[in-house]
Amino acid sequence: MARAPAAIRWSAVASALVLLLLIKPSTSIYCDEDDCYDLLGVSQSANSSEIKKAYYKLSLKHHPDKNPDPESKKLFVKIANAYEILKDEATRGQYDYAIAHPEEVFFNTARYYHAYYGHKTDTRAVLVGLLLVLSAFQYLNQWTRYNQALDMVRKSPAYKNRLRALELERSGGMISKKKNQKHMDKNTEEDLSKELDLQIKGAEKPSIWQLLGVRFILLPYTIGKVCWLWRYQVKRSPYSWEDASYLTRRSLGIHLDSWRSLDESTQEDLIQKRLWEKSNLESYLAEMRKESKRRR
């Protein structure tokens, strides 16, 4: 088998060295560059009682109130951090695993951050934050696509012709032929373009109703609407009393309190008329207008 060229071999060696420099050992995320056991002066086989005893002894020695030396203060912080890791069986087990498997950098790092920060973060807050970030990116992306499409359309001959036709319409068919006509066109182009309703397929103007965050908030309504369509439009099931009452109230524009004030027979009569259908509603309103005129 042919050997790889020297340039490729040296490039591979250099890349490996860079990775080693950039990616710290997974144990360093616990006690920085120190060994947690060495900081407390105990062996890896020490039990919880020995670890606790060593911590109290060292904390008394290096506590800022008893030892004003700045270096001693830094050491006290390290000792306290090491004790927080080793006093808990779960985190100690993770640290021991990281020592035994230093090559599993990403796995050990993920376990560390999950153990120390996962329980401190409200899942609901994470979800809301994620939706906000995604919605912001989505909105900016839609605006970028829309503006790019708009620029392309404005450069097309068809758009310029529509703009010219609108200018003719506004001027009553009379367009000045002054020398500065081009300059005038540029000045008025923005005003005229506002009157043109440009519908660009595939790059519509952004709408907040299409954002992920808004759609997630409206998810219960969307699910309810789908269930409604499935029940009454697809399966053709008869409307329940509650749904028929809602449709009747909405058709007549009656408030819920006003609807409840009607007697049950009147409600039943209105529901039987199926006023949510346009033809039935028009006939009912016409009948009410005739009745009102007759009473006058």
Side-chain angles (χ1 to χ4, degrees):
M1 183 181 291
R3 296 181 61 186
I8 296 178
R9 294 200 303 271
W10 280 111
S11 176
V13 172
S15 300
L17 290 174
V18 170
L19 285 174
L20 288 174
L21 290 173
L22 292 177
I23 302 176
K24 296 182 179 180
S26 55
T27 54
S28 66
I29 60 176
Y30 288 89
C31 293
D32 295 327
E33 302 299 331
D34 301 303
D35 184 284
C36 295
Y37 290 104
D38 289 344
L39 285 171
L40 295 179
V42 296
S43 65
Q44 191 172 350
S45 60
N47 57 39
S48 58
S49 178
E50 292 172 335
I51 292 174
K52 186 176 182 180
K53 184 178 179 180
Y55 166 69
Y56 282 127
K57 182 179 179 180
L58 291 172
S59 63
L60 289 173
K61 178 181 178 181
H62 297 286
H63 197 282
D65 293 340
K66 297 183 179 294
N67 194 332
D69 186 4
E71 294 299 322
S72 185
K73 182 180 179 180
K74 293 179 182 178
L75 184 57
F76 174 79
V77 174
K78 291 184 177 182
I79 292 169
N81 179 60
Y83 178 66
E84 287 295 321
I85 291 168
L86 299 180
K87 74 175 183 178
D88 184 83
E89 291 297 329
T91 54
R92 182 181 179 181
Q94 292 179 6
Y95 179 63
D96 290 342
Y97 185 89
I99 293 175
H101 303 83
E103 73 283 357
E104 299 182 19
V105 179
F106 297 108
F107 174 71
N108 293 325
T109 303
R111 291 180 72 190
Y112 169 80
Y113 284 111
H114 180 267
Y116 279 88
Y117 300 106
H119 66 283
K120 298 178 182 178
T121 307
D122 190 340
T123 307
R124 293 170 296 181
V126 173
L127 179 60
V128 171
L130 180 62
L131 285 173
L132 288 175
V133 171
L134 291 176
S135 298
F137 277 112
Q138 181 187 6
Y139 193 70
L140 291 174
N141 179 58
Q142 288 178 353
W143 265 115
T144 301
R145 290 179 56 195
Y146 176 73
N147 287 328
Q148 289 175 347
L150 205 61
D151 289 339
M152 292 181 63
V153 169
R154 286 175 175 172
K155 293 176 183 178
S156 66
Y159 172 78
K160 294 184 181 298
N161 290 336
R162 288 183 61 187
L163 206 64
R164 189 72 173 177
L166 182 60
E167 187 180 14
L168 282 168
E169 182 182 342
R170 288 182 57 177
S171 63
M174 300 295 294
I175 299 180
S176 174
K177 296 184 179 181
K178 296 179 181 179
K179 292 182 180 181
N180 61 344
Q181 177 62 36
K182 291 184 179 180
H183 179 68
M184 291 296 294
D185 286 345
K186 290 180 180 179
N187 289 338
T188 57
E189 183 176 353
E190 186 176 352
D191 293 334
L192 292 171
S193 64
K194 292 178 181 178
E195 298 183 29
L196 293 178
D197 184 20
L198 295 178
Q199 299 294 336
I200 306 172
K201 188 175 181 180
E204 291 78 10
K205 192 171 183 179
S207 171
I208 60 171
W209 301 107
Q210 298 300 322
L211 298 180
L212 289 173
V214 176
R215 296 180 74 172
F216 180 79
I217 294 173
L218 297 177
L219 185 59
Y221 167 77
T222 304
I223 294 174
K225 187 176 181 180
V226 171
C227 293
W228 180 288
L229 292 174
W230 172 259
R231 184 183 301 120
Y232 299 127
Q233 300 297 324
V234 179
K235 296 182 66 177
R236 300 291 181 179
S237 301
Y239 288 106
S240 65
W241 172 270
E242 292 78 10
D243 293 339
S245 299
Y246 166 75
L247 291 173
T248 304
R249 288 192 297 104
R250 190 181 68 173
S251 301
L252 295 174
I254 300 176
H255 193 270
L256 179 59
D257 293 335
S258 300
W259 175 260
R260 289 174 176 173
S261 65
L262 300 175
D263 58 84
E264 190 173 336
S265 60
T266 303
Q267 293 179 358
E268 180 68 31
D269 180 62
L270 291 173
I271 289 174
Q272 291 296 329
K273 293 180 184 296
R274 300 179 65 86
L275 299 178
W276 52 86
E277 297 178 5
K278 186 177 180 181
S279 58
N280 294 340
L281 178 62
E282 290 176 349
S283 300
Y284 173 77
L285 293 177
E287 182 181 344
M288 289 297 99
R289 284 192 292 269
K290 289 180 180 179
E291 181 65 21
S292 177
K293 290 180 180 179
R294 187 184 63 79
R295 290 178 180 179
R296 291 177 186 175

